[in-house]
């Protein structure tokens, strides 16, 4: 593995962006789930 | 279809880890055979490896935007709700990938060109593309009418019409004012090309998975909205009728 | 038989053109009475001229380089003021609904609005350009007549997209903010072309021909696109 | 009087705004040459029904058939629509307004505007802009606009709101006269008592449905 900091930064940035987006999807799923529970009542 | 999902997740995971390892690790030779990795670029050094996720992300984003255009046109003709969800999802995930491109680009440019940002042709046009699709997402978010899909589809078509102009104008703009040019050019090492393609495949699979789950989310969301509306349809109107007296 | 059909089509186009003219005259009359748009536009771009002059030394050499961008940015922002007015006028008392229940074709309304805005922005440019020339001591080294072409095509590009996106943004919350958000990204190639062409003509360093052709193509493509999509946008409540 | 075949047929009309259903399955037939009053509480869906009939709202599902056509644009010349807002340009005078709208309908007769203005009991020589009219005058001018194309069907949303009693009675007389000419008239209103005697049928709406139709001004029994 290269120790070049720029390479590492770019690598980290890529996955941070993807993970943030995936987290928003997850949050929306959770909210939706709550809403479905409410609807079932 | 839904049973396929876990299989796809595993497949994409394996592919991604393979793609990442060959992108990041230097070549390992055992007995004269290249086992793993791409050669380190001579002039730029290992920084060049940023390309292995910069470029595939860009390709993936372009493909997603292209699908967005197709779905939007289809929606305008057929008014099919699924096409609208596809358009929404591809635009959103496309913007995410485009963001990756715009972030990794400067990180590459800094050590190679010595500047974070240059108004180079590719960076600039990608930025403009990003702006167009972010404005598309804004419209979807702020539209108050029940006809959001129609407005969004219209914007997507005009935005796509704009893309050739963006490239053409910025290309001409840049050839007029010389700027730092990308290093080397010419032919690419076949082993590098191999790594690039594997990464692209991996990122495409990843994008497809993200789109899928986002698609499911949107679809269920709309079903819930529909259920709310149905419930208000079924409510007993007699209460209101009584209050009328 | 086909001749009759063609005659009918011609008559239809005549009707559409008549409605465009009627709507345009109506808009001009309304603007003449209130002068909302033109006054605020004029004052706004005057402000831009003055404010920009503080940000750099408006000496002849430097200003010639930047003037292209400066002029068009001022006009672009001023145009947004007028564009927001266009449909605000139709939304007051919901007059737009009266148009929608009538048999008049939607594209006539669109063309009338585009022509109206073109006239407003053109008037603004005619009034402001001398001011720019005086304040920034501008003088064209290249062929000055090409500036007219740039102005005409450039204004049309701004106005055609602006009218369309203004119609789109009246269907959104916080509509005044939405217009620039939608309009600016898509207008980037046009703005680039206008700025480059103007700078090329003012400095005389390069030919503006490519940019003028690009602008003309842009106008053609987007006018067609907007006309095809306008009915959809108008009827989306 | 005139033929009483249905001029408007509405079948299972549903209109949703997001999660809210404004119309929840309206099915009805309306005969030609009659005067209908649509009554109901705020939010009962009266205005939405009228707007959907006028082709301004796309129904979420269900059908509207006017004069045998399902495409509003084909019959839009036969429909006059008056909304709660005036649908007039405040900065122009009544005659100027009507001259413009006449052009939209391709009406070439130059006197048509003055004719309908006189028909609603206003002075066609007024040059004041509409914005300076009193509410009652503005409502009448708005009615004049709806009458401009001599429609067979009139859809009027709250024509008497903020109008003084005497003017409102005059407008009712005017509408009754129009009915006698064979026009079908729909009036959405809160002031039902004004219309007693003039109206053929009261249509009662509640919570997005038609809950009853009566000849007299007595609300129908609530659905149990």
């Amino acid at each position: 593995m290269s120790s070049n900091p720029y390479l590492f930064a770019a690598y980290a940035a890529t996955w941070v962006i993807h993970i943030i987006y995936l987290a928003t999807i997850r949050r929306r799923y959770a909210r939706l789930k709550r809403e479905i529970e409410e609807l079932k009542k | 279809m839904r049973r396929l999902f876990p299989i796809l997740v595993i497949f994409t995971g394996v592919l991604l880890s393979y793609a990442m390892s060959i992108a990041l690790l230097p070549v390992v030779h055992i007995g004269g055979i290249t086992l793993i990795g791409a050669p380190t670029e001579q002039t730029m050094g290992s920084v060049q490896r940023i390309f292995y996720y910069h470029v595939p992300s860009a390709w993936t984003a372009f493909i997603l935007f292209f699908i967005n255009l197709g779905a939007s046109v289809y929606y305008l003709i057929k008014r099919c709700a699924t096409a609208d969800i596809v358009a929404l999802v591809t635009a959103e995930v496309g913007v995410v990938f485009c963001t990756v491109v715009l972030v990794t680009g400067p990180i590459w440019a800094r050590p190679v060109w010595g500047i974070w940002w240059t108004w180079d042709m590719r960076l600039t046009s990608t930025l403009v593309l990003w702006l167009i699709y972010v404005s598309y997402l804004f419209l979807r978010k702020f539209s108050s009418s029940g006809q959001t899909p129609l407005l969004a589809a219209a914007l997507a078509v005009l935005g796509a019409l704009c893309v050739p102009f963006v490239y053409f104008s910025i290309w001409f703009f840049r050839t007029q004012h010389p700027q730092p040019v990308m290093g080397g050019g010419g032919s690419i090492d076949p082993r590098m090309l191999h790594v690039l393609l594997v990464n692209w495949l991996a990122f495409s699979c990843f994008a497809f998975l993200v789109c899928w789950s986002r698609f499911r989310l949107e679809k269920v969301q709309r079903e819930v909205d529909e259920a709310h509306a149905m419930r208000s349809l079924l409510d007993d109107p007699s209460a209101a009728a009584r209050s009328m007296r | 038989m086909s001749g009759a059909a063609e005659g009918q089509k011609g008559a239809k186009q005549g009707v559409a053109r008549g409605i465009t003219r009627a709507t345009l005259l109506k808009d001009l009359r309304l603007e003449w009475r209130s002068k909302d748009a033109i006054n605020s536009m004029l004052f706004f771009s005057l402000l831009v001229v003055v404010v920009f002059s503080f940000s750099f030394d408006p000496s002849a050499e430097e200003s010639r380089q930047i003037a292209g961008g400066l002029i068009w940015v001022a006009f672009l922002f001023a145009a947004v003021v007028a564009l927001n007015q266009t449909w605000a006028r139709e939304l007051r008392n919901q007059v737009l609904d009266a148009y929608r229940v009538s048999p008049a074709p939607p594209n006539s309304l669109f063309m009338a609005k585009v022509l109206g805005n073109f006239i407003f922005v053109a008037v603004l440019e005619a009034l402001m350009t001398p001011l720019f020339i005086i304040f920034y001591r501008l003088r064209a080294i290249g062929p000055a007549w090409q500036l007219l072409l740039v102005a005409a095509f450039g204004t049309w590009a701004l106005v055609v997209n602006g009218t369309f996106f203004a119609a789109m943004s009246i269907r959104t919350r916080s509509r005044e903010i939405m217009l620039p958000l939608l309009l600016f990204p898509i207008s980037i190639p046009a703005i680039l072309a206008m700025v480059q062409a103007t700078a090329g003509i003012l400095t005389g360093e390069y030919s503006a021909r490519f940019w003028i052709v690009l602008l003309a193509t842009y106008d053609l493509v987007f006018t067609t696109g907007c006309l095809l999509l306008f009915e959809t946008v108008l009827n989306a409540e | 009087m005139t033929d009483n075949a249905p001029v408007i047929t509405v079948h299972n009309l549903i209109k949703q705004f997001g999660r809210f259903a404004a119309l929840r399955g309206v099915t009805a037939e309306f005969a030609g040459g009659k005067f209908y009053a649509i009554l109901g509480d705020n939010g009962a869906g009266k205005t939405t029904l009228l707007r959907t009939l006028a082709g301004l709202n796309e129904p979420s599902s269900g059908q509207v058939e006017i004069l045998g056509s399902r495409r509003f644009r084909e019959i839009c010349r036969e429909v006059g629509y008056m909304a709660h807002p005036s649908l007039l340009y405040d900065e122009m005078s009544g005659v100027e307004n009507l001259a413009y709208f006449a052009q939209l309908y391709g009406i070439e007769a130059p006197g048509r505007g003055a004719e309908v203005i006189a028909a609603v009991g206003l002075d066609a020589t007024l040059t004041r802009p509409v914005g300076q009219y009193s509410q009652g005058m503005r409502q009448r001018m708005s009615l004049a606009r709806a009458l401009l194309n001599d429609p067979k069907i009139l859809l009027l949303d709250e024509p008497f709101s903020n109008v003084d009693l005497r003017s409102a009675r005059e407008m009712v007389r005017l509408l009754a006269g129009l009915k006698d000419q064979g026009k079908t008239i729909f009036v959405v209103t809160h002031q039902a008592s004004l219309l007693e005697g003039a109206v053929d049928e009261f249509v009662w709406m509640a919570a997005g449905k038609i809950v009853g139709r009566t000849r007299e001004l007595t609300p129908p029994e609530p659905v149990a």
Side-chain angles (χ1 to χ4, degrees):
Chain A
M1 179 73 85
S2 165
S3 58
N4 191 313
Y6 287 108
L7 180 58
F8 177 75
Y11 177 82
T14 305
W15 291 107
V16 164
I17 291 167
H18 281 304
I19 287 167
I20 290 175
Y21 181 62
L22 288 174
T24 64
I25 292 187
R26 218 186 117 82
R27 216 186 51 232
R28 277 189 264 190
Y29 257 114
R31 200 189 308 149
L32 186 61
K33 213 169 187 176
R34 268 206 311 278
E35 221 169 299
I36 292 173
E37 292 298 317
E38 245 166 65
L39 200 66
K40 271 185 187 156
K41 274 175 209 163
Chain B
M1 198 64 179
R2 286 177 76 177
R3 225 173 286 157
L4 253 159
F5 193 75
I7 303 172
L8 255 168
V9 170
I10 295 166
F11 173 74
T12 310
V14 171
L15 188 63
L16 259 182
S17 19
Y18 173 65
M20 270 189 286
S21 55
I22 60 170
L24 291 175
L25 297 176
V27 194
V28 178
H29 292 292
I30 294 181
I33 303 162
T34 308
L35 266 191
I36 196 172
T40 306
E41 223 266 353
Q42 281 150 12
T43 46
M44 286 183 264
S46 57
V47 178
Q48 183 268 343
R49 291 173 187 281
I50 292 177
F51 259 44
Y52 295 132
Y53 23 95
H54 176 76
V55 175
S57 293
W59 288 349
T60 312
F62 296 156
I63 290 175
L64 288 170
F65 291 148
F66 195 74
I67 298 174
N68 169 271
L69 170 65
S72 300
V73 171
Y74 188 79
Y75 181 81
L76 281 175
I77 297 167
K78 291 274 164 88
R79 304 286 152 98
C80 151
T82 311
D84 176 52
I85 304 180
V86 170
L88 165 66
V89 166
T90 47
E92 221 177 274
V93 181
V95 165
V96 171
F97 273 85
C98 210
T99 312
V100 168
V101 176
L102 289 174
V103 170
T104 52
I107 298 179
W108 176 82
R110 171 72 198 163
V112 176
W113 291 339
I115 34 172
W116 286 109
W117 183 266
T118 159
W119 293 96
D120 139 88
M121 132 116 207
R122 280 175 210 227
L123 278 181
T124 312
S125 46
T126 311
L127 178 64
V128 175
L129 198 65
W130 185 84
L131 288 174
I132 290 175
Y133 281 92
V134 168
S135 80
Y136 172 90
L137 293 181
F138 263 116
L139 176 68
R140 294 208 76 121
K141 192 160 164 19
F142 282 108
S143 171
S144 55
S145 77
Q147 309 280 338
T148 313
L150 273 180
L151 299 183
L155 177 61
V157 170
L158 287 186
L161 277 183
C162 193
V163 171
F165 287 100
V166 170
Y167 278 86
F168 209 43
S169 61
I170 292 173
W171 168 75
F172 194 80
F173 182 42
R174 279 310 152 209
T175 45
Q176 232 171 50
H177 304 245
Q179 290 277 319
V181 202
M182 256 191 347
S187 63
I188 184 170
D189 187 314
R191 283 172 300 173
M192 287 183 176
L193 188 65
H194 165 79
V195 175
L196 209 54
L197 288 176
V198 170
N199 269 276
W200 176 49
L201 188 66
F203 272 107
S204 300
C205 284
F206 177 63
F208 178 74
L209 273 184
V210 177
C211 283
W212 187 342
S213 56
R214 182 67 183 85
F215 180 89
R216 292 285 319 158
L217 175 68
E218 186 65 22
K219 191 141 182 115
V220 177
Q221 180 75 60
R222 289 191 185 190
E223 274 162 16
V224 169
D225 287 349
E226 188 74 5
H228 273 288
M230 284 315 282
R231 174 171 282 192
S232 80
L233 281 177
L234 292 173
D235 278 346
D236 186 11
S238 62
R242 264 196 301 281
S243 74
M244 201 167 70
R245 313 212 99 196
Chain C
M1 192 70 192
S2 75
E6 222 145 78
Q8 207 174 20
K9 205 179 155 199
K12 230 175 180 175
Q13 274 174 354
V15 169
R17 225 169 290 143
I19 291 170
T20 303
R21 194 167 49 237
T23 310
L24 176 62
L25 289 176
K26 183 261 306 170
D27 277 347
L28 292 179
R29 179 183 284 173
L30 287 183
E31 181 55 37
W32 184 249
R33 291 198 183 158
S34 68
K35 300 187 189 67
D36 288 351
I38 200 87
N39 279 343
S40 40
M41 264 177 9
L42 274 172
F43 189 61
F44 191 88
S45 49
L46 182 65
L47 283 178
V48 173
V49 174
V50 175
V51 169
F52 270 142
S53 72
F54 298 135
S55 60
F56 64 94
D57 175 33
S59 72
E61 270 324 297
E62 195 188 348
S63 61
R64 201 171 282 141
Q65 299 283 344
I66 323 175
L70 181 66
I71 292 173
W72 285 109
V73 167
F75 290 158
L76 175 67
F77 281 102
V80 168
V81 176
L83 292 164
N84 267 325
Q85 275 292 316
T86 333
W87 297 105
R89 203 178 280 140
E90 302 295 319
L91 286 185
R92 214 175 299 142
N93 302 334
Q94 289 182 19
V95 203
L96 195 57
D97 283 348
Y99 193 96
R100 286 177 59 206
V101 296
S102 81
N107 279 345
S108 296
L109 178 64
F110 181 69
M111 282 320 284
K113 291 288 178 191
V114 172
L115 289 171
N117 283 325
F118 187 83
I119 292 172
F120 295 152
V121 179
V123 167
L124 168 87
E125 287 170 1
L127 291 176
M128 292 306 294
T129 312
L131 224 74
F132 270 106
I133 294 173
I134 294 166
F135 278 15
Y136 295 98
R137 283 174 249 150
L138 296 177
R139 194 169 54 85
I141 294 174
W145 62 270
Q146 287 185 350
L147 280 175
L148 268 180
L149 280 183
V150 176
F153 288 142
T155 308
W156 185 265
L158 288 186
V159 152
V160 93
N161 277 341
T163 309
F164 186 85
F165 288 119
M168 203 178 243
S169 59
I170 59 171
R171 306 297 185 199
T172 62
R173 278 176 280 139
S174 58
R175 48 178 90 107
E176 315 262 290
I177 306 168
M178 242 1 243
L179 173 62
L181 288 188
L182 297 174
L183 176 62
F184 289 180
I186 284 198
S187 301
I188 286 174
I191 294 167
L192 183 61
M194 289 182 262
V195 171
Q196 288 302 308
T198 311
I201 295 165
L202 288 183
T203 60
E205 278 168 14
Y206 51 90
S207 156
R209 182 163 298 152
F210 169 83
W211 295 112
I212 293 173
V213 173
L214 186 85
L215 265 181
T217 324
Y218 182 94
D219 285 352
L220 195 68
V221 168
F222 277 88
T223 308
T224 316
C226 290
L227 282 175
L228 286 175
L229 292 168
F230 181 70
E231 185 168 4
T232 311
V233 171
L234 179 70
N235 288 331
E237 346 91 52
Chain D
M1 203 160 37
T2 46
D3 63 316
N4 279 359
V7 289
I8 296 185
T9 319
V10 179
H11 185 68
N12 203 16
L13 197 63
I14 293 175
K15 176 64 191 175
Q16 284 168 228
F17 294 104
R19 290 185 171 187
F20 170 71
L23 294 180
R24 311 190 309 158
V26 174
T27 301
E29 277 188 358
F30 298 103
K34 295 217 169 199
F35 193 157
Y36 295 96
I38 302 175
L39 309 176
D41 286 349
N42 287 333
K46 308 179 299 278
T47 297
T48 311
L49 177 63
L50 217 61
R51 283 179 64 85
T52 311
L53 291 180
L56 291 168
N57 281 343
E58 183 105 353
S60 305
S61 72
Q63 270 141 14
V64 178
E65 202 177 299
I66 301 176
L67 297 169
S69 168
R70 284 188 185 163
R71 290 171 45 84
F72 181 78
R73 282 201 80 80
E74 282 170 6
I75 44 91
C76 62
R77 286 173 191 279
E78 305 300 344
V79 178
Y81 171 68
M82 173 178 168
H84 201 187
S86 68
L87 306 192
L88 297 168
Y89 293 99
D90 279 346
E91 296 88 345
M92 298 201 295
S93 74
V95 183
E96 284 171 329
N97 262 297
L98 293 191
Y100 169 62
F101 288 111
Q103 277 168 303
L104 296 188
Y105 284 90
I107 297 167
E108 268 149 31
R112 179 64 189 160
E115 201 179 309
V116 281
I117 291 177
V120 296
L122 286 177
D123 181 4
T125 56
L126 266 182
T127 49
R128 259 192 296 161
V130 175
Q132 295 172 14
Y133 281 18
S134 71
Q135 181 68 21
M137 287 169 77
R138 203 175 310 158
Q139 291 288 67
R140 285 195 213 191
M141 191 52 82
S142 186
L143 177 63
R145 196 203 59 77
L147 290 172
L148 194 62
N149 52 325
D150 194 23
K152 290 200 179 95
I153 298 167
L154 271 174
L155 306 169
L156 313 177
D157 196 351
E158 304 276 4
F160 317 122
S161 68
N162 299 321
V163 177
D164 63 88
L165 201 62
R166 217 184 52 185
S167 313
R169 291 232 166 87
E170 258 171 55
M171 278 176 89
V172 174
R173 256 200 302 284
L174 178 73
L175 291 177
L178 288 169
K179 188 200 89 169
D180 291 336
Q181 291 168 27
K183 297 189 193 305
T184 315
I185 300 170
F186 292 82
V187 173
V188 163
T189 185
H190 282 111
Q191 293 131 293
S193 52
L194 272 173
L195 292 168
E196 252 186 320
V199 161
D200 292 306
E201 209 173 341
F202 292 96
V203 179
W204 299 83
M205 285 190 77
K209 284 185 176 174
I210 292 182
V211 289
R213 296 167 67 157
T214 56
R215 293 208 161 264
E216 305 301 322
L217 185 53
T218 46
E221 286 304 306
V223 190

